[in-house]
Amino acid sequence: MARRLASVRARTTLAATAVVAVALVAAGLAVVLLLRANLGGQADLKAEVAAREVASQLATGTAYAALDLPDPEDHPVQVVGEDGRVRAASEDLQAIQGAGSPAVRAGRPPPVHGDDDDHDDDAPGRGEVSGDDPSFSTGSATVDGRTTRFRFAAVEVTTPRDETVTVYAGADLAAARDAVGTATRAMLAGLPPLLAVVAGVTWLVTRRALRPVEAVRAELAEITSSGDLARRVPVPDARDEIAGLAATTNETLAALEESVARQRGFVADASHELRSPIASLRTQLEVAAAHPELMDVAGLVEDVVRLQHLAADLLLLARIDTGDRPPPRPVALGGLVREELERRAARDRIPVRPSIEGDPQVMGVPGRLARVVGNLLDNAGRHAGTAVRLSLRVEAGTAVLGVADDGPGVPAADRERIFERFVRLDDARSRDEGGAGLGLAIARDLVRAHGGDLTAGEAPGGGALFEVRLPAI
């Protein structure tokens, strides 16, 4: 259960449901507040209309006792003078509280025309209803023993006798309260089913969307258990992120398959290359043990040296493959090339003709850069007829090192293949002359580890040309 709740599908469903719940609650709250405000505004309007109707009667000289007052259960009305005395009130209205109007005592009849000489039918002229906005308040009114909440409007009016009174008229809030309550209950009742629908739909949609991911995972699990890197994960037809993930996974599997195949080939070739000098050493030692006078010490030393060089090359390739990168530092390439030429001068079969223009600096490891130069010169010396040429120059911020020979050259179809490990072309298959086929592979790997590249081409005068390009600093 805990694992299922921790799944992407469960988390997505919970998150979507929570977001929808928050949105619905916020929207429902806004609707309720707007509904309450709208119904409150309607109650204010009804109370104002009722108050102005009574005020209009007073302005035309209608006596307090003769006022046509609305039903008190819907619109309780009370007329109050400036002295705080109640001049008129709706029938059966017993009390008003919280509206700013004096209470009407139960059993006391409202004052009528003629009381205390408050009104005069012969008063000339016409009164005036105040044009100011009425004041509103919320209170309660008791009508015939029942107390109800009302929204009251207070309107001032001047009678024809120049008496200013205030008319208080109320509008029942029960309808607005009931409407708001009904809307709230309806929203609360509809919220759980709606959230259940959202959760169910999200669960199903997420399940459908993640089905290709599960297929990719299952296929990867099968590939891992079987070790068959030739298999590929299914790619969905949809052009979405999951299809991109599957395509990238297949590309990774292809690269991994190629790497494993290359590694297996490397191990097989290395075993084959090591077997020959070891077998030769064993044969010579067995002969020497049986016939000491036939021991070929020079041959033994030569095989041991060859075996030592091969082991060193294999170790260097293993370090390169594992990402071994010593800290680089600025290296003067011209000085490094001169030192390498001086070191090789005594043992080179064909003297090297250098052409060094400038002394560009590159970031790198001096020993590994010297190994690149040495491998290229060894290769050129092995295939050259009469001349080996070395050049160093700078082109557009790039240090260019070229090594050319006047040998048979490299066919265009083989100019990439010769950089593969243990590859020897047909005219260089002799292990005595052609080596193990690792020199150029090591040189290119080292150059690329320094951020450059090594390519093979044709020399201007015929033969092979190898060019190293490294970013200068």
Side-chain angles (χ1 to χ4, degrees):
M1 182 65 178
R3 180 180 178 182
R4 175 168 294 185
L5 291 177
S7 65
V8 174
R9 188 191 311 172
R11 293 200 302 269
T12 302
T13 301
L14 291 176
T17 305
V19 170
V20 172
V22 172
L24 289 178
V25 169
L29 182 61
V31 169
V32 169
L33 293 177
L34 290 174
L35 180 61
R36 180 180 297 175
N38 186 40
L39 293 176
Q42 293 182 9
D44 288 349
L45 180 61
K46 292 178 180 179
E48 181 181 359
V49 170
R52 289 192 180 278
E53 287 180 354
V54 175
S56 297
Q57 296 180 49
L58 292 173
T60 59
T62 303
Y64 295 127
L67 289 174
D68 183 14
L69 301 179
D71 185 354
E73 292 186 357
D74 295 330
H75 301 289
V77 176
Q78 184 170 267
V79 181
V80 181
E82 291 182 309
D83 56 0
R85 292 176 57 194
V86 177
R87 297 293 192 266
S90 298
E91 186 179 0
D92 296 330
L93 177 62
Q94 298 171 346
I96 294 179
Q97 298 176 348
S101 174
V104 178
R105 295 179 182 178
R108 176 189 174 190
V112 298
H113 175 64
D115 286 351
D116 298 326
D117 204 18
D118 287 333
H119 206 70
D120 188 352
D121 289 337
D122 298 330
R126 178 182 176 88
E128 181 182 3
V129 179
S130 173
D132 296 337
D133 292 335
S135 59
F136 296 95
S137 60
T138 301
S140 60
T142 303
V143 179
D144 197 17
R146 188 179 66 179
T147 301
T148 309
R149 298 286 292 176
F150 287 88
R151 185 68 172 169
F152 288 94
V155 176
E156 289 188 355
V157 59
T158 302
T159 65
R161 288 198 51 167
D162 200 25
E163 179 186 10
T164 301
V165 295
T166 302
V167 179
Y168 293 91
D172 192 2
L173 291 176
R177 185 174 60 251
D178 292 343
V180 172
T182 301
T184 302
R185 287 191 295 273
M187 291 180 183
L188 291 177
L191 183 61
L194 184 58
L195 291 180
V197 171
V198 171
V201 172
T202 304
W203 179 270
L204 294 176
V205 171
T206 307
R207 176 184 176 184
R208 181 179 180 85
L210 293 179
R211 189 174 299 164
V213 177
E214 175 61 22
V216 171
R217 186 208 63 79
E219 185 63 24
L220 283 176
E222 290 291 333
I223 293 173
T224 302
S225 61
S226 65
D228 184 7
L229 295 178
R231 297 173 61 173
R232 297 293 180 264
V233 300
V235 179
D237 295 333
R239 297 181 179 179
D240 55 10
E241 291 82 355
I242 297 177
L245 173 63
T248 303
T249 301
N250 284 336
E251 293 174 1
T252 303
L253 288 173
L256 183 60
E257 180 185 13
E258 181 182 355
S259 177
V260 170
R262 181 181 178 185
Q263 190 70 22
R264 289 173 178 172
F266 174 75
V267 171
D269 290 338
S271 300
H272 178 73
E273 294 294 334
L274 287 172
R275 187 185 308 146
S276 297
I278 292 176
S280 176
L281 283 173
R282 178 179 177 180
T283 300
Q284 293 186 58
L285 289 175
E286 288 176 349
V287 171
H291 307 281
E293 69 281 0
L294 299 179
M295 177 181 290
D296 184 6
V297 177
L300 286 173
V301 172
E302 183 180 352
D303 284 344
V304 169
V305 170
R306 179 166 172 261
L307 183 61
Q308 181 183 10
H309 288 168
L310 179 58
D313 289 345
L314 293 175
L315 180 60
L316 179 57
L317 284 173
R319 288 177 177 175
I320 295 174
D321 289 341
T322 57
D324 180 26
R325 300 287 188 273
R329 61 184 179 87
V331 178
L333 202 54
L336 182 143
V337 170
R338 292 186 180 93
E339 291 178 1
E340 182 66 17
L341 291 176
E342 292 176 0
R343 186 180 65 82
R344 302 171 55 91
R347 63 182 179 86
D348 279 343
R349 179 176 66 88
I350 300 176
V352 179
R353 302 175 186 175
S355 174
I356 300 176
E357 301 175 5
D359 191 7
Q361 284 198 336
V362 298
M363 291 296 295
V365 181
R368 294 193 170 183
L369 291 175
R371 179 66 180 272
V372 171
V373 177
N375 283 9
L376 293 179
L377 291 176
D378 286 342
N379 180 76
R382 193 157 42 239
H383 297 90
T386 59
V388 174
R389 295 178 297 276
L390 182 147
S391 63
L392 178 63
R393 64 188 187 279
V394 178
E395 291 182 359
T398 301
V400 181
L401 173 68
V403 177
D405 62 70
D406 59 352
V410 181
D414 295 325
R415 288 175 184 171
E416 280 298 317
R417 194 170 69 88
I418 59 174
F419 293 108
E420 297 177 8
R421 298 173 184 181
F422 299 107
V423 170
R424 291 182 294 271
L425 300 185
D426 292 340
D427 62 345
R429 288 193 179 275
S430 170
R431 287 186 174 86
D432 294 334
E433 298 180 358
L438 293 177
L440 294 178
I442 292 175
R444 172 174 271 191
D445 287 347
L446 290 177
V447 170
R448 288 184 172 177
H450 284 77
D453 198 9
L454 171 60
T455 58
E458 184 177 357
L465 171 62
F466 292 87
E467 282 191 341
V468 175
R469 294 181 178 270
L470 294 170
I473 57 174

